[in-house]
């Protein structure tokens, strides 16, 4: 009975989105997945038609459909190009939730989500970077642990080995931001990019007083794989943990867009709606914030850098100008072709669909190489993991987090 | 249902890569961009993605042998159900035959495969100072094969004509798998029937187009866009006609009625002069600034004489894009006004524009429906869009009757059912009214001669 009710609600929510599609096909020209798969089931129009037919009783949910819904990067390229601005990513998230209730979740996703919901395990993983066998995630994640560059390494690149010793990191005496800012360190930053996270903290502390509250997972992976309840519970934890902050800054694009949606996500919960709204209004992405406070890098070097737009930053939060502007202050900036096209990492997409992910990455690598840049910069650990793979493939550039370059 | 053994035979031709038969895949090749309902789904039994003329020919031979319906498909952006497999069978998806094969820059001819996107053709030519003018609004996501099969056109038709005007020759795989070559790179050709023309607009019912030779022209050096707003729709129509007659032929002249303009204004939060009852977006092109200035000056003068309340020339590329984006955003803006939008595609002689709009208004008023009218004023092709909530009781029937009357009105003023979207499934019922008995008999006998077994896109057009 209870399941039926939530099922119906979920269906109603999906229908409201998918019914707006008039099947014009404009998404066929921009969807990175369709680009490599060439099947109608793998483009927004096909996904939406499938959901619609399912909701209207014309298709019976099965594992092929579940897979088709997973086979989406949630990159929003379709929405941006759609005359009716249909939110296919939201429809896919809802549809995954619906399928999860109907068919059960994929064990792999359950495991991953359970893991990301558990701070102790994350710390364990981050502390040793050798993933505990006990989590059962060792096999799943072993292949993905990327190599990480450090800020010192970047400086060395910029200056050459015979350069002066690295400048000491004395925090700026005048801090342009008066309030208290809190750094939201997402799971992937904790686990895979501790050095970049540290660089973020250093950057931030030049602008204001920084605290690092104990954060829970932002909930995005849970939402993306049909575990909305857990996503809400995590949101509440974070709202409590960050109650004191004037601003909440994250250096992960996915976390950022997830955190900015808390207000929306908890809008139906009278106890939490207002607090969630307030929380979300305080959230800013790293470059969004640095740009806002007029951050000036201490020096400009002669390295060539290019920038890859994380989907969750450029389309998810409309942040496009800020990182470019900051990079221009720090190095020689070159724009790559189709900088805002998804790199194919997309959460667990690369684990679920390695072949398609690799093809999408190959195009990204080609575009990066065409700029002759020394470094490709981005502002999302998920992209950074994917770009690190691109770095290994190509050998012609390094992939770094923006915090390590500014 | 196609026998397992036969599926195997098809798979020998295209390989596992080119064959889709999972239920979900079949479903997603059951629709196009028409407003036909998704359900019950007109699922094909098999989807094939050939990569060469030889593969298409082999497929057709087999399909002919087993009498399996074959529905050609480009990218499924047709608005009348043309690529919907209404009677099951094979969907022959040509989107992977997408190579530009040859540019003959002596003769200004381009040879292409059917799955090339129209935008890619435009772009390829533009980069070389050449111009392929036909510009259906769907040019980014539709294929040249689909454009030829629907004889697609766009705003530029007023000056440059439609797809068919640029098709010089075709390679077509016929129903029995034999391969026909029509036309060629010569401008003059009176050698037998004009078979090229026969396949233009044939909606996949006569053969599968596997190659096309397209005529190109030099790219005009400069373009300019202007927007004129009028205090009456008659005035707007008259301005376009007089402009053409004066020799200031616009490369495009897009008409919008009051409801369409208001829809866009609302969608974008723009203040609108209350006097505005209609608008036209003009594009002019040419080879010299002086020539363009003269054309635009003339158009401005004529517009003023016809009661324009504003004439705005785009000064920068951004302003130009802004004006065009108003036009391109029109469908969506209008769609946002109601639960359903039923857009038609009638075409009338240019001089009958004011009369047809008057009649359309009367029809809408009689049925108590909202109606927005916009379209290509330059060539008389209008998209009257009825706004309704098809789930409301009685509304669907009302809309159906109103659509019937819209077609009658178009025929009555000397026009026809479709300017660019074709007949497909959605306009079949009205075809006899437009063509008459003799016309119907003539196209039936053509169909019989070329496809005696009736396997090519059965159930379409008639
Ligand atoms: C937003 C939007 C705007 C549009 N604007 C315009 C416009 O301005 N002007 C206009 O004319 N149309 C317009 N259309 C309609 C549509 O885009 C055109 O009809 C287009 O030509 C269809 O191309 P397609 O590749 O999608 O073909 P499909 O829809 O896949 O097929 C259309 C028809 O062509 C046949 N066909 C396709 N390929 C072949 C082939 N190789 N050989 C034989 N038959 C074939 C199919 O069987 C079918 O009957 C618009 C559609 C949309 C969604
Ligand atoms: S672009 Fe938007 S409306 Fe068009 S088919 Fe894709 S999702 Fe649907
Ligand atoms: S969100 Fe990205 S991957 Fe998913 S359908 Fe849209 S464009 Fe394709």
């Amino acid at each position: 009975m209870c399941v039926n009710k939530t099922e119906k609600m979920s269906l109603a929510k999906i229908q409201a989105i998918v019914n707006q599609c008039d099947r014009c096909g404009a998404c066929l020209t921009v969807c990175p997945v369709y680009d490599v798969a060439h099947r109608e089931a793998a483009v927004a129009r096909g996904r939406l038609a499938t959901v619609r037919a399912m909701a209207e009783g014309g298709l019976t949910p099965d594992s092929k459909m579940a897979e088709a819904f997973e086979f989406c990067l949630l990159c929003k390229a379709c929405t941006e190009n759609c005359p009716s601005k249909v939110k296919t990513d939201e429809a896919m998230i809802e549809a995954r939730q619906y399928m999860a209730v109907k068919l059960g979740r994929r064990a792999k996703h359950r495991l991953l989500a359970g893991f990301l919901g558990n701070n102790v395990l994350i710390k364990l993983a981050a502390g040793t970077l050798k993933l505990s066998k006990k989590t059962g995630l060792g096999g799943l994640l072993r292949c993905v642990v990327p190599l990480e560059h450090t800020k010192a390494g970047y400086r060395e690149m910029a200056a050459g080995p015979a350069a002066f010793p690295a400048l000491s990191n004395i925090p700026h005496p005048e801090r342009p931001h008066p309030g208290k800012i809190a750094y939201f360190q997402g799971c992937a930053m904790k686990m895979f990019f501790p050095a970049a996270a540290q660089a973020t903290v250093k950057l931030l502390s030049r602008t204001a007083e920084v605290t690092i509250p104990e954060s829970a997972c932002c909930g995005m992976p849970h939402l993306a794989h049909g575990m909305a309840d857990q996503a809400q519970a995590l949101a509440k934890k974070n709202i409590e943990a960050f109650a004191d902050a004037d601003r909440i800054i994250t250096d992960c694009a996915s976390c950022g867009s997830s955190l900015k949606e808390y207000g929306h996500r908890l809008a139906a919960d009278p106890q939490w709606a207002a607090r969630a709204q307030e929380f979300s209004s305080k959230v800013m992405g790293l470059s969004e914030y640095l740009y806002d406070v007029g951050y000036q890098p201490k020096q400009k070097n002669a390295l060539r850098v290019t920038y890859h737009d994380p989907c969750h930053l450029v389309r998810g939060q409309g942040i496009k100008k800020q990182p470019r502007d900051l990079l221009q202050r720090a190095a020689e900036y070159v724009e790559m072709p189709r900088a805002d096209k998804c790199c194919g990492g997309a959460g667990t997409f690369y684990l679920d669909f390695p072949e398609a992910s690799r093809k999408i990455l190959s195009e990204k690598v080609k575009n990066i190489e065409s700029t002759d840049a020394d470094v490709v910069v981005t502002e999302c650990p998920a992209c950074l993991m994917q770009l690190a793979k691109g770095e290994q493939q190509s050998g012609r550039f390094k992939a770094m987090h923006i915090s390590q370059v500014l | 249902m196609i026998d397992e053994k036969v599926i195997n035979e098809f798979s020998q031709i295209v390989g596992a890569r080119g064959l889709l038969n999972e239920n979900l895949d079949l479903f997603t090749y059951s629709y196009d961009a028409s407003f036909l309902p998704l359900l019950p789904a007109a699922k094909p039994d098999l989807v094939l993605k050939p990569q060469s003329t030889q593969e298409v020919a082999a497929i057709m031979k087999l399909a002919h042998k087993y009498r399996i319906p074959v529905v050609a498909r480009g990218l499924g952006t047709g608005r009348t159900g043309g690529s919907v497999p209404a009677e099951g069978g094979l969907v022959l998806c040509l989107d992977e035959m997408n190579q530009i094969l040859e540019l003959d820059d002596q003769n200004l001819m381009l040879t292409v495969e059917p799955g090339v996107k129209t935008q890619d053709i435009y772009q390829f030519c533009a980069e070389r100072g050449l111009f392929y003018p036909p510009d259906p609004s769907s040019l980014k996501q539709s294929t040249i094969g689909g454009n030829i099969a629907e004889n697609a056109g766009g705003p530029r038709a007023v000056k440059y004509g439609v797809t068919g005007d640029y098709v010089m020759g075709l390679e077509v795989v016929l129903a029995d798998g034999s391969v026909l070559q029509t036309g060629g790179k010569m401008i003059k050709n009176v050698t037998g029937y004009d078979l090229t023309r026969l396949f233009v607009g044939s909606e996949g019912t006569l053969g599968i187009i596997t190659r096309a030779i397209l005529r190109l022209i030099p790219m005009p050096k400069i373009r300019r866009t202007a927007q004129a707003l009028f205090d009456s729709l008659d005035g707007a129509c008259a301005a376009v006609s007089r402009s053409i007659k004066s020799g200031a032929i616009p490369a495009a002249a897009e008409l919008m009625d009051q409801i369409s303009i208001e829809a866009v204004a609302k969608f974008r939060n723009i203040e609108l002069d209350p006097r505005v009852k209609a608008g036209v977006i003009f594009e002019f092109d040419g080879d010299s600034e002086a020539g363009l200035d003269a054309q635009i000056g003339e158009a401005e003068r004529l517009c003023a004489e016809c009661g324009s309340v504003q004439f705005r020339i785009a000064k920068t590329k951004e302003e130009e894009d802004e004006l065009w984006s108003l036009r391109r955003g029109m469908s969506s803006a209008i769609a946002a006004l109601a639960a359903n939008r039923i857009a038609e595609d009638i075409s009338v002689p240019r001089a009958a524009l004011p009369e047809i709009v008057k009649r359309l208004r009367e029809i809408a008023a009689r049925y108590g429906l909202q109606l927005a009218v916009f379209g290509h004023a330059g060539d008389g092709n209008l998209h009257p869009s009825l706004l309704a909530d098809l789930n409301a009781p009685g509304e669907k029937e009302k809309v159906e009757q109103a659509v019937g009357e819209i077609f009658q009105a178009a025929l009555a003023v000397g026009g026809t059912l479709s300017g660019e979207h074709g007949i497909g499934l959605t306009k079949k019922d009205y075809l006899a009214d437009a063509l008459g008995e003799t016309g119907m008999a003539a196209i039936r006998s053509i169909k019989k001669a070329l496809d005696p077994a009736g396997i090519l896109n059965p159930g379409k057009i008639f």
Side-chain angles (χ1 to χ4, degrees):
Chain A
M1 183 62 207
C2 175
V3 170
N4 263 340
K5 203 171 140 213
T6 36
E7 241 176 53
K8 256 195 208 133
M9 262 174 57
S10 165
L11 269 189
K13 216 159 150 189
I14 306 179
Q15 276 179 306
I17 303 176
V18 300
N19 289 359
Q20 290 166 2
C21 168
D22 92 330
R23 306 202 284 272
C24 72
C27 44
L28 276 84
T29 61
V30 294
C31 174
V33 174
Y34 180 75
D35 227 24
V36 298
H38 270 271
R39 275 184 302 115
E40 177 77 19
V43 69
R45 180 173 68 174
R47 306 175 193 293
L48 296 166
T50 304
V51 173
R52 186 167 180 170
M54 182 184 84
E56 292 175 10
L59 284 175
T60 321
D62 65 14
S63 62
K64 285 281 165 200
M65 281 161 65
E67 186 181 316
F69 300 155
E70 302 281 351
F71 194 35
C72 169
L73 300 157
L74 308 181
C75 74
K76 300 177 197 276
C78 50
T79 310
E80 188 182 41
N81 195 48
C82 169
S84 318
K85 299 282 170 255
V86 180
K87 293 185 172 139
T88 303
D89 60 327
E90 286 183 15
M92 287 304 102
I93 288 175
E94 281 298 323
R96 289 175 189 181
Q97 175 77 28
Y98 180 81
M99 297 303 267
V101 173
K102 277 262 166 201
L103 305 177
R105 295 168 182 91
R106 287 169 81 159
K108 193 160 55 168
H109 293 152
R110 235 179 12 236
L111 201 60
L112 189 68
F115 174 76
L116 292 176
N118 186 329
N119 269 357
V120 179
L121 290 181
I122 289 177
K123 273 199 204 127
L124 208 66
T128 61
L129 249 190
K130 281 201 194 84
L131 297 164
S132 157
K133 270 241 164 75
K134 272 193 215 132
T135 66
L137 277 164
L140 184 57
L141 294 181
R142 196 179 304 121
C143 55
V144 309
V145 176
L147 77 172
E148 189 189 15
H149 300 289
T150 58
K151 188 152 191 165
Y154 173 76
R155 287 220 193 85
E156 218 166 82
M157 267 176 83
F164 296 109
L167 290 169
S168 58
N169 283 299
I170 315 157
H172 262 303
E174 83 283 13
R175 284 172 161 168
H177 191 79
K180 241 189 3 201
I181 61 175
Y183 171 47
F184 182 96
Q185 189 181 9
C187 306
M189 292 303 289
K190 286 180 194 161
M191 286 191 291
F192 302 127
F193 299 104
Q198 210 160 37
T200 299
V201 174
K202 269 192 188 147
L203 274 178
L204 291 177
S205 63
R206 283 209 233 146
T207 68
E209 186 192 333
V210 182
T211 62
I212 311 178
E214 170 117 353
S215 57
C217 176
C218 71
M220 187 64 167
H222 305 78
L223 211 58
H225 296 301
M227 288 162 261
D229 290 351
Q230 295 178 36
Q232 294 201 350
L234 290 165
K236 291 174 188 170
K237 268 196 202 163
N238 280 327
I239 294 173
E240 275 177 340
F242 285 77
D244 288 342
D246 298 313
R247 283 223 169 291
I248 301 160
I249 312 296
T250 178
D251 50 2
C252 167
S254 300
C255 294
S257 73
S258 176
L259 301 177
K260 284 181 180 178
E261 276 169 17
Y262 280 10
H264 178 63
R265 205 173 291 165
L266 293 174
D269 186 334
Q271 273 189 341
W272 287 87
R275 291 179 73 185
Q277 191 69 50
E278 194 198 335
F279 175 94
S280 287
S281 69
K282 292 180 188 166
V283 176
M284 284 182 109
L286 177 63
S287 62
E288 181 185 20
Y289 166 76
L290 290 177
Y291 180 87
D292 198 50
V293 298
Y295 174 81
Q296 275 299 339
K298 279 189 269 178
Q299 57 190 16
K300 182 166 175 162
N301 62 50
L303 280 182
R304 250 169 114 81
V305 301
T306 189
Y307 176 73
H308 160 73
D309 286 290
C311 299
H312 285 145
L313 212 57
V314 64
R315 285 176 291 274
Q317 305 173 54
I319 297 173
K320 181 169 185 163
K321 172 180 75 174
Q322 296 91 328
R324 288 176 170 77
D325 197 275
L326 290 166
L327 286 172
Q328 269 156 8
R329 296 176 202 172
E332 186 202 338
Y333 179 76
V334 267
E335 180 79 13
M336 71 167 102
R338 306 208 55 187
D340 67 353
K341 186 173 173 188
C342 182
C343 61
T348 57
F349 184 89
Y350 70 99
L351 292 173
D352 298 335
F353 306 99
E355 171 82 12
S357 172
R358 211 182 45 236
K359 283 191 189 153
I360 298 171
L361 175 62
S362 296
E363 196 198 324
K364 185 55 73 180
V365 166
K366 241 192 283 155
N367 288 336
I368 298 170
E369 287 176 344
S370 78
T371 62
D372 267 332
D374 305 298
V375 182
V376 57
V377 177
T378 193
E379 195 177 322
C380 184
C383 301
L384 201 52
M385 277 156 84
Q386 180 81 339
L387 294 176
K389 270 184 251 155
E391 170 183 333
Q392 277 174 346
Q393 262 172 39
S394 156
R396 286 178 49 192
F397 56 81
K398 301 261 179 292
M400 293 189 184
H401 194 280
I402 193 165
S403 64
Q404 299 173 297
V405 178
L406 292 179
Chain B
M1 274 303 279
I2 302 179
D3 204 76
E4 197 61 36
K5 183 180 110 320
V6 179
I7 294 185
N8 261 334
E9 288 185 61
F10 282 118
S11 148
Q12 305 267 302
I13 302 171
V14 291
R17 176 208 47 74
L19 181 145
L20 304 175
N21 64 349
E22 298 266 3
N23 186 42
L24 178 60
D25 284 317
L26 298 179
F27 166 74
T28 51
Y29 288 88
S30 69
Y31 53 79
D32 68 356
S34 61
F35 54 80
L36 289 166
L38 270 184
L39 299 175
K43 276 191 298 195
D45 299 304
L46 201 59
V47 177
L48 296 177
K49 295 192 153 216
Q51 303 226 328
S52 67
T53 304
Q54 290 72 22
E55 288 185 9
V56 175
I59 290 168
M60 286 312 302
K61 273 208 180 76
L62 263 190
H64 194 251
K65 179 170 152 200
Y66 296 113
R67 298 288 190 265
I68 301 169
V70 177
V71 182
R73 187 180 192 274
L75 284 171
T77 69
R79 287 292 201 194
T80 51
S83 57
V84 172
E87 300 183 12
L90 299 179
V91 161
L92 200 56
C93 200
L94 294 146
D95 62 341
E96 287 184 9
M97 287 177 65
N98 58 5
Q99 298 301 308
I100 294 179
L101 297 171
E102 182 209 60
L103 170 67
D104 175 347
D105 61 3
Q106 293 288 309
N107 291 307
L108 297 191
M109 299 280 168
L110 190 71
T111 308
V112 297
E113 290 189 323
V116 186
K117 285 186 212 138
T118 315
Q119 168 78 11
D120 294 344
I121 294 179
Y122 175 86
Q123 202 54 42
F124 179 89
C125 296
E127 281 161 14
R128 292 160 177 79
L130 296 169
F131 188 25
Y132 174 73
D135 59 342
S137 325
S138 54
L139 84 171
K140 283 193 182 154
Q141 72 258 39
S142 64
T143 66
I144 188 69
N147 284 185
I148 296 171
E150 298 283 9
N151 199 5
R156 292 194 193 113
V158 53
K159 182 163 178 182
Y160 293 105
V162 295
T163 303
D165 297 316
Y166 293 83
V167 181
M168 301 300 289
L170 292 173
E171 176 183 84
V172 184
V173 176
L174 298 178
D176 62 0
S178 50
V179 182
L180 167 74
Q181 310 286 341
T182 78
K185 292 180 182 173
M186 52 280 168
I187 304 282
K188 293 182 169 179
N189 181 357
V190 211
T191 316
Y193 296 146
D194 187 348
L195 291 177
T196 308
R197 277 272 160 180
L198 180 61
F199 288 96
V200 170
S202 63
E203 302 193 35
T205 62
L206 298 180
I208 311 293
I209 298 160
T210 49
R211 195 176 274 210
I213 303 173
L214 305 171
R215 178 171 71 90
L216 308 175
I217 57 178
M219 184 65 98
K221 294 202 176 59
I222 32 181
R223 279 200 182 118
R224 226 173 288 156
T225 304
Q227 180 193 55
L229 299 175
F230 295 85
D231 59 8
S232 76
L233 194 107
D234 284 5
C237 295
V240 174
S241 288
R242 289 183 58 186
S243 188
I244 293 169
K245 203 165 151 196
S246 78
I249 302 178
E254 296 292 289
L255 178 74
M256 310 167 276
D257 76 346
Q258 192 179 357
I259 296 183
S260 312
I261 300 180
E262 280 171 1
V264 178
K266 189 168 156 207
F267 205 60
R268 303 193 160 210
N269 270 326
I270 317 175
E271 277 287 331
L272 204 61
D273 184 331
R275 285 173 300 167
V276 172
K277 297 283 183 294
V280 177
I281 295 178
F282 287 103
E283 184 181 272
F284 290 94
D285 62 12
D287 289 331
S288 74
E289 292 284 350
L292 260 195
D293 286 344
Q295 281 190 58
I296 292 199
E298 179 67 6
E300 182 167 7
R301 190 180 65 74
L302 290 169
C303 284
E305 282 183 23
C306 296
S308 64
V309 295
Q310 192 203 75
F311 192 93
R312 190 178 141 212
I313 302 168
K315 299 242 161 43
T316 59
K317 178 90 183 68
E318 286 72 42
E319 283 183 41
E320 206 169 272
D321 289 345
E322 184 207 319
L323 289 183
W324 276 110
S325 74
L326 287 180
R327 168 62 183 87
R328 285 199 208 97
M330 186 134 309
S331 296
S332 311
I334 292 171
L337 293 178
N340 302 91
R341 172 180 59 111
I342 300 88
E344 278 311 334
D345 167 43
I346 56 173
S347 184
V348 302
R350 196 164 52 224
L353 274 178
E355 174 63 21
I356 187 72
V357 174
K358 199 175 109 232
R359 290 189 185 212
L360 292 173
R361 291 250 157 282
E362 284 164 12
I363 295 169
R366 207 164 330 116
Y367 287 96
L369 292 167
Q370 241 199 327
L371 173 85
V373 183
F374 62 97
H376 318 300
D379 55 44
N381 182 197
L382 288 185
H383 300 303
S385 302
L386 288 168
L387 301 173
D389 179 357
L390 292 180
N391 286 325
E395 198 95 329
K396 195 158 172 270
E397 293 69 31
K398 266 205 301 200
V399 167
E400 276 167 12
Q401 286 169 20
V403 167
E405 286 197 30
I406 288 176
F407 290 147
Q408 294 305 335
L411 296 174
V413 302
T416 193
L417 305 180
S418 168
E420 36 182 48
H421 296 168
I423 301 299
L425 283 172
T426 60
K427 296 189 194 174
K428 269 167 65 160
D429 294 347
Y430 309 98
L431 188 69
D433 292 339
L435 295 187
E437 246 172 65
T438 318
M440 289 298 283
I443 62 167
R444 279 213 180 91
S445 43
I446 293 173
K447 168 77 177 170
K448 243 210 166 79
L450 282 172
D451 180 20
I455 57 168
L456 283 167
N457 212 356
K460 304 301 164 60
I461 305 186
F462 41 63

